[in-house]
Amino acid sequence: MRAGTDVMRYSDGLSNEAMKLTTKLNNSYHTPEEIREILSELTGKEVDETVSLFPPFYTDCGKNISFGRRGGDERCTGKYGCGWNAG
């Protein structure tokens, strides 16, 4: 039972962190550089300078998302979130 509780706490922590960061992202203006910094914090990975995102953006976790190059600029209008690996 303990392992299940630990997993739930970990999952809840990731979700709470994602809510905090998406609220920060969605509730005020940010430069493209600041958006990439927030996305990097959200995903735990460096976000390439070619990535553009136009808020609002929503996600349940964030750590399962990757943004990156695929032969040009990656663009995501995150109304429903971007749950794909773009890299």
Side-chain angles (χ1 to χ4, degrees):
M1 220 13 123
R2 175 130 173 107
T5 302
D6 291 343
V7 169
M8 287 299 293
R9 284 188 186 142
Y10 178 72
S11 177
D12 287 349
L14 291 178
S15 295
N16 286 326
E17 180 183 6
M19 284 189 287
K20 175 182 160 188
L21 292 169
T22 55
T23 297
K24 177 180 177 180
L25 179 66
N26 293 333
N27 287 328
S28 64
Y29 171 79
H30 299 282
T31 66
E33 293 80 16
E34 292 169 332
I35 290 173
R36 286 190 293 274
E37 287 176 20
I38 294 168
L39 292 176
S40 291
E41 190 174 351
L42 178 67
T43 62
K45 304 168 204 156
E46 185 176 340
V47 173
D48 191 271
E49 66 183 14
T50 61
V51 173
S52 296
L53 182 129
F54 302 95
F57 178 81
Y58 304 99
T59 185
D60 61 347
C61 173
K63 302 300 183 205
N64 56 336
I65 301 171
S66 295
F67 298 94
R69 288 183 178 217
R70 264 196 309 185
D73 287 352
E74 296 295 337
R75 300 210 180 265
C76 170
T77 55
K79 182 175 182 182
Y80 300 108
C82 300
W84 68 84
N85 181 335

